[in-house]
Amino acid sequence: MNSCHFSSIGGRMAGELCMQRPLFGGSISTNFPLRFQDLSDIRDVPVHQEVFFDPSRDESIVFELLELKSEVGDERSAEWFLRDLAVEQDAEDSVVLEQTSAVEQLPLSYGGLPSTISTSVGRMAISKGRQGREAGNLVRVYLANLRLKGVGTDVLITVYEPIVINPLSESVLTVNVGPTAPASASGLVSATEVFRAAVSGFKVNDWGLFGTTS
């Protein structure tokens, strides 16, 4: 067990077990609670993604590797990806930015090229699977864009936290309809802190994942 970014003892955070989790065959790793299960154990996940979910709260964490979008500036790049996600989820009309931050340097580099990070938080109505807009849940979305320029890769870390569950949504099979209770009410770590742990604990263990030769 490993402790997360914030204060913890013996690998626990606010009463939750937390450990370093391997991603992409162990080439990457980071920290988040054990309550998040690997979605690939249930269904197929695209090879450029790792997806983990907590069925009891309908929360999820997605790690995604994309080709670096050089046309998108580092400044507030996470905001760009958040808005792009809203379009992809057919939620562009509902996105509301809660917070966005300027670019910062990351202590990750390859080939002498620095890496950067920006984060953004927003709210949008998102439907599950193939359900239409009428079944959309109100969700808070935390997104970090880690730009690994030495290997031409944009890494996205996205945490989804439902705020209001739509009675028409598939989510009602596991979560109560209406406003969701805060994680702390169940002795769990908030989505905000889960996001911080996943971002701050991000490590590249094998740069060969990105096609490098050394």
Side-chain angles (χ1 to χ4, degrees), residues 42-72:
I42 298 175
R43 66 171 187 257
D44 290 339
V45 172
V47 294
H48 68 289
Q49 291 183 349
E50 292 272 18
V51 182
F52 299 83
F53 73 109
D54 176 0
S56 67
R57 294 191 53 80
D58 204 29
E59 293 179 354
S60 59
I61 309 174
V62 180
F63 302 88
E64 190 168 11
L65 307 181
L66 303 173
E67 184 176 353
L68 187 77
K69 294 193 73 66
S70 56
E71 69 272 23
V72 177

Side-chain angles (χ1 to χ4, degrees), residues 22-98:
L23 306 171
F24 301 100
S27 295
I28 292 172
S29 60
T30 193
N31 302 323
F32 54 94
L34 283 174
R35 64 184 169 94
F36 287 91
Q37 306 169 23
D38 191 339
L39 185 63
S40 66
D41 291 338
I42 298 175
R43 66 171 187 257
D44 290 339
V45 172
V47 294
H48 68 289
Q49 291 183 349
E50 292 272 18
V51 182
F52 299 83
F53 73 109
D54 176 0
S56 67
R57 294 191 53 80
D58 204 29
E59 293 179 354
S60 59
I61 309 174
V62 180
F63 302 88
E64 190 168 11
L65 307 181
L66 303 173
E67 184 176 353
L68 187 77
K69 294 193 73 66
S70 56
E71 69 272 23
V72 177
D74 293 343
E75 187 79 10
R76 299 177 184 271
S77 64
E79 179 182 337
W80 186 93
F81 279 106
L82 186 65
R83 293 188 182 279
D84 185 62
L85 175 65
V87 173
E88 180 181 313
Q89 297 282 352
D90 196 24
E92 66 269 28
D93 295 335
S94 67
V95 66
V96 176
L97 286 181
E98 294 185 354

Side-chain angles (χ1 to χ4, degrees), residues 3-29:
S3 53
C4 286
H5 169 60
F6 25 89
S7 62
S8 57
I9 300 175
R12 289 183 179 273
M13 41 196 262
E16 275 197 88
L17 283 175
C18 180
M19 67 182 296
Q20 189 173 84
R21 311 284 291 269
L23 306 171
F24 301 100
S27 295
I28 292 172
S29 60

Side-chain angles (χ1 to χ4, degrees), residues 107-185:
L108 284 173
S109 64
Y110 187 88
L113 293 175
S115 300
T116 61
I117 180 173
S118 66
T119 62
S120 189
V121 181
R123 283 172 289 148
M124 61 184 79
I126 299 178
S127 301
K128 302 284 287 186
R130 298 177 181 274
Q131 291 193 291
R133 282 190 176 190
E134 69 281 356
N137 297 320
L138 183 61
V139 178
R140 180 171 288 110
V141 182
Y142 306 80
L143 187 146
N145 176 210
L146 290 68
R147 316 205 82 183
L148 308 183
K149 297 182 181 180
V151 291
T153 301
D154 272 319
V155 179
L156 301 184
I157 300 176
T158 311
V159 171
Y160 296 86
E161 177 193 21
I163 302 171
V164 179
I165 301 298
N166 190 315
L168 299 178
S169 172
E170 294 176 2
S171 300
V172 300
L173 297 174
T174 55
V175 186
N176 291 333
V177 172
T180 58
S184 59

